[in-house]
């Protein structure tokens, strides 16, 4: 099969990449390993992590269309109360992590609607579920990518002038021989204040299997997981408490703090204002990532709130799952950890009334589209393989402590903007959180260009960041912007017979492309604001 642009991976960045290339008039093949498109937003069940100003600025026009579409879907199809329906900035879950906490399936529906006109026109082919298994190259160019269904079957050979790697872990990089890095870089090489003295390529952020729960009458306790005894007794040396407990380090201060857990607390969901500049919002775990607040729906529509469990206790940092021979076994352990947390909450967790266990907690695998065990259908990867890029974003480019009032470095080749704290979860080298302030930053086009491979572009968390700066370039609106810029760049190069390297390194061509980005609603510069 052939198209103008091949996008391998249908996550947040992959969908944005496909939409960008399609809007620019190109034909696209989009592949995805799981049953849902959307990645972080959907199959990984991670409500959007967004910055303080997301309702006003700091995102591409198409990302705004996605957010507007999610709210509109609720207004059209859900039994909202009149007050919730009238709220312009409707937050269906009234979660504290984001101003738009929603059920994953709604994002799936909106993404499918955004792509539907191009499917109907015959310019978009979606191959699902398919994953890449091989690639062919000729010198510095990728000539084909082979994909097959996860269960086997006849493989498909896909070709295109431009190939975009939008997989969650940069799977095309080793398949195509494109140079890449993993884990911590050396501070000696990068000059980053938070980097170790020596490189640690297998020291990577935790992965997590998220899941949704509600709390209703009855006993909904799952079967005791096989590894429950191990995880119940497990206490990481830097944690200050058992992993399965309400106590954990505060990401920003590392002080061991007690979280609250009160199902269906009866709070006023219309009064919730999610603002991570003021607080991470995780003190009350039930409302932290709540995706359905029952009091925003007509009485009786929801028997309970629904909350999404993406909490410190499901972070699996025992071992890396990238470039290791036993990745499947390690991911199975991560699933066991998540199930063990649920079982602990149902049977042993301390309650505010002095009792133990919340047997009314009910696993909502129907909400996350998960498999037989009810967890999210895909693991949440916070960190990917990352290209060795023409330009690598380093901590001192955007750290608020380093940059101060100057703001982040402004790149002549900006291809978008983003904002998030440098937020690194515990990692496989037994490092605790690194969570420090950053300045609103730009996405340099050079970070999307491999040093050698000519027609492969990253379209997600696999761009030229370091382990440290990946911590703020990995969230939903930034990944969307990265993917959209990659898709528009590929389309631009096909249309004008250019190479990405020529576009970046020729001032006139760069200006032309940046005008194209702006015309498509991609913001290239921040207004004068400070970070947090």
């Amino acid at each position: 099969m052939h198209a103008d642009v091949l996008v391998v991976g249908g996550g947040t960045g992959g969908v944005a990449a496909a939409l960008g290339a399609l809007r620019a008039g190109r034909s696209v093949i989009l592949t995805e390993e799981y049953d849902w498109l959307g990645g972080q937003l959907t199959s990984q069940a991670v409500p959007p992590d967004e910055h303080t100003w997301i309702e006003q600025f700091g995102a591409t026009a198409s990302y705004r269309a996605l957010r507007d579409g999610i709210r509109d879907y609720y207004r059209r199809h859900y039994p909202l109360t009149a007050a919730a329906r009238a709220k312009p900035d409707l937050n269906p879950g009234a979660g504290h992590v984001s101003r738009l906490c929603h059920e994953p399936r709604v994002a799936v529906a909106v993404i499918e609607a955004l792509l539907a006109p191009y499917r109907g026109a015959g310019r978009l082919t979606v191959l699902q579920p398919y994953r890449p298994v091989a690639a062919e190259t000729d010198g510095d160019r990728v000539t084909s990518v082979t994909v097959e269904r996860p269960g086997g079957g006849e493989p498909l050979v896909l070709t295109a002038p431009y190939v975009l790697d939008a997989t969650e872990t940069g799977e095309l990089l080793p398949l195509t021989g494109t140079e890449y890095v993993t884990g911590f870089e050396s501070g000696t090489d990068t000059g980053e204040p938070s980097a170790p003295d020596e490189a640690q390529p297998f020291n990577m952020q935790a992965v997590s299997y998220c899941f949704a729960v509600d709390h209703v009458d009855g006993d909904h306790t799952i079967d005791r997981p096989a590894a429950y005894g191990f995880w119940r007794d497990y206490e990481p040396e830097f944690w200050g408490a058992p992993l399965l407990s309400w106590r954990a380090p505060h990401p920003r201060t590392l002080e061991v703090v007690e979280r609250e857990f009160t199902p269906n607390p009866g709070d006023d969901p219309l009064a919730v204002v999610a603002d991570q500049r003021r607080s991470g919002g995780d003190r009350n775990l039930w409302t932290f990532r709540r995706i359905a607040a029952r009091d925003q729906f007509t009485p009786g529509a929801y028997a309970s709130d629904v909350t999404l469990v993406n909490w410190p206790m499901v972070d699996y940092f025992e071992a890396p799952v990238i470039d290791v021979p036993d990745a499947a076994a390690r991911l199975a352990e991560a699933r066991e950890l998540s199930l063990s947390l649920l079982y602990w909450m149902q049977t042993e967790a301390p309650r505010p009334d002095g009792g133990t266990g919340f047997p009314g907690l009910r696993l909502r695998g129907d909400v996350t589209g998960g498999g037989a065990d009810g967890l999210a259908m895909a693991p949440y990867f916070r960190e990917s393989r990352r290209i060795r890029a023409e330009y690598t974003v380093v901590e001192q480019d955007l750290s608020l402590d380093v940059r101060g009032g100057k703001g982040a470095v402004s790149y002549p080749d900006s291809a978008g903007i983003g904002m998030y704290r440098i937020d690194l979860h515990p990692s496989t080298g037994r490092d605790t959180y690194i969570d420090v302030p950053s300045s609103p930053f730009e996405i340099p086009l050079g970070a999307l260009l491999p040093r050698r491979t000519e027609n492969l572009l990253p379209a997600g968390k696999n761009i030229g960041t370091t382990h440290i700066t990946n911590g703020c370039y990995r969230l939903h609106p930034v990944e969307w912007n990265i993917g959209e810029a990659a898709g528009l760049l590929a389309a631009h190069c096909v249309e004008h017979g250019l190479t990405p390297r020529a576009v970046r390194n020729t001032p006139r061509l760069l200006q032309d492309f940046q005008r194209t980005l702006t015309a498509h609603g991609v913001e290239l510069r921040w207004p004068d604001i400070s970070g947090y």
Side-chain angles (χ1 to χ4, degrees):
M1 302 177 67
H2 181 81
D4 294 328
V5 179
L6 168 60
V7 182
V8 180
T12 307
V15 168
L19 284 168
L22 290 162
R23 288 199 319 271
R26 298 299 103 198
S27 62
V28 173
I29 296 171
L30 173 65
T31 77
E32 168 54 27
E33 179 177 356
Y34 293 97
D35 291 338
W36 285 353
L37 296 173
Q40 291 189 78
L41 279 167
T42 61
S43 61
Q44 296 172 34
V46 181
D49 264 328
E50 299 170 330
H51 58 74
T52 291
W53 308 281
I54 192 66
E55 300 292 341
Q56 290 80 38
F57 50 81
T60 74
S62 66
Y63 187 76
R64 296 197 176 285
L66 171 75
R67 298 176 89 253
D68 291 344
I70 289 170
R71 285 176 170 146
D72 186 57
Y73 192 94
Y74 274 95
R75 294 188 182 104
R76 287 175 179 269
H77 301 291
Y78 278 68
L80 296 168
T81 65
R85 190 179 306 279
K87 194 170 172 57
D89 57 345
L90 171 66
N91 187 351
H96 287 258
V97 73
S98 169
R99 296 175 189 262
L100 185 58
C101 288
H102 56 83
E103 297 174 42
R105 196 181 300 275
V106 176
V108 176
V110 174
I111 286 169
E112 291 289 353
L114 292 172
L115 294 172
Y118 304 106
R119 292 205 204 205
R123 290 201 290 113
L124 170 64
T125 300
V126 180
L127 301 176
Q128 192 178 14
Y130 277 88
R131 64 183 306 271
V133 294
E136 296 290 332
T137 60
D138 181 6
D140 295 335
R141 296 188 64 80
V142 179
T143 55
S144 71
V145 176
T146 300
V147 297
E148 66 179 29
R149 292 185 179 276
E154 190 70 22
L156 296 174
V157 178
L158 312 177
T159 60
Y162 284 91
V163 177
L164 275 55
D165 184 350
T167 62
E168 298 299 323
T169 57
E171 293 177 44
L172 291 189
L173 303 183
L175 293 178
T176 60
T178 299
E179 294 78 7
Y180 67 90
V181 296
T182 61
F184 267 107
E185 291 87 351
S186 161
T188 303
D189 294 333
T190 67
E192 294 178 300
S194 301
D197 292 336
E198 297 184 3
Q200 300 171 7
F202 288 100
N203 190 357
M204 307 177 202
Q205 281 195 77
V207 299
S208 299
Y209 273 98
C210 304
F211 58 92
V213 292
D214 60 9
H215 190 268
V216 294
D217 292 338
D219 186 346
H220 303 279
T221 304
I222 63 171
D223 293 337
R224 178 184 166 113
Y228 179 66
F230 172 82
W231 290 115
R232 181 185 58 191
D233 297 335
Y234 182 60
E235 184 171 341
E237 56 270 25
F238 58 85
W239 206 254
L243 185 63
L244 301 189
S245 72
W246 300 134
R247 292 174 60 79
H250 188 289
R252 300 184 184 182
T253 66
L254 302 184
E255 176 191 3
V256 178
V257 296
E258 184 95 13
R259 264 71 172 195
E260 300 171 10
F261 183 74
T262 306
N264 298 315
D267 59 322
D268 179 3
L270 295 175
V272 172
V273 178
D275 187 349
Q276 293 196 24
R277 176 174 51 178
R278 296 187 301 184
S279 166
D282 62 343
R283 195 61 184 261
N284 186 329
L285 292 172
W286 183 266
T287 57
F288 178 32
R289 296 182 185 270
R290 184 172 52 185
I291 56 176
R294 66 178 178 179
D295 290 339
Q296 294 202 107
F297 302 90
T298 55
Y302 279 69
S304 165
D305 295 347
V306 181
T307 196
L308 202 290
V309 177
N310 176 17
W311 304 339
M313 302 87 92
V314 296
D315 282 2
Y316 176 83
F317 44 79
E318 281 295 283
V321 296
I322 296 175
D323 286 347
V324 293
D326 57 350
R330 297 301 188 177
L331 288 172
E333 290 177 357
R335 298 186 80 95
E336 280 282 295
L337 170 57
S338 292
L339 291 169
S340 294
L341 172 64
L342 174 60
Y343 185 78
W344 175 80
M345 290 194 295
Q346 292 172 324
T347 60
E348 297 190 54
R351 298 196 308 259
D353 64 7
T356 55
F358 295 83
L361 285 176
R362 180 174 58 171
L363 184 60
R364 294 294 305 273
D366 57 317
V367 170
T368 59
D373 60 9
L375 305 180
M377 64 174 65
Y380 175 31
F381 291 102
R382 295 179 176 86
E383 187 170 340
S384 172
R385 301 175 180 92
R386 304 180 299 278
I387 63 166
R388 290 195 179 275
E390 282 208 351
Y391 184 86
T392 299
V393 180
V394 292
E395 181 180 1
Q396 53 270 36
D397 282 3
L398 49 87
S399 165
L400 194 62
D401 291 341
V402 175
R403 299 292 301 174
K406 295 182 292 185
V409 170
S410 183
Y411 307 111
D413 61 341
S414 174
I417 59 176
M419 172 59 199
Y420 203 73
R421 288 171 64 91
I422 297 174
D423 173 12
L424 297 166
H425 283 233
S427 58
T428 56
R430 296 301 188 275
D431 293 282
T432 189
Y433 292 95
I434 299 174
D435 191 326
V436 296
S438 68
S439 304
F441 54 82
E442 299 170 2
I443 304 167
L445 189 62
L448 275 67
L449 304 187
R451 293 179 185 175
R452 181 185 58 81
T453 312
E454 293 291 343
N455 67 330
L456 177 74
L457 298 173
K461 294 185 286 288
N462 50 354
I463 66 168
T465 59
T466 63
H467 173 86
I468 302 294
T469 56
N470 163 74
C472 54
Y473 275 75
R474 64 182 174 83
L475 282 307
H476 304 67
V478 188
E479 183 180 345
W480 183 279
N481 193 150
I482 291 166
E484 186 168 3
L488 288 170
L489 178 60
H492 186 80
C493 289
V494 169
E495 180 180 357
H496 297 287
L498 300 170
T499 66
R501 219 173 303 284
V503 169
R504 183 198 180 223
N505 296 318
T506 308
R508 176 181 59 82
L509 298 180
L510 176 61
Q511 291 172 5
D512 287 345
F513 177 60
Q514 288 177 319
R515 280 193 288 268
T516 296
L517 289 172
T518 301
H520 281 268
V522 178
E523 299 176 21
L524 304 183
R525 310 291 177 195
W526 282 96
D528 186 14
I529 54 176
S530 60
Y532 55 87

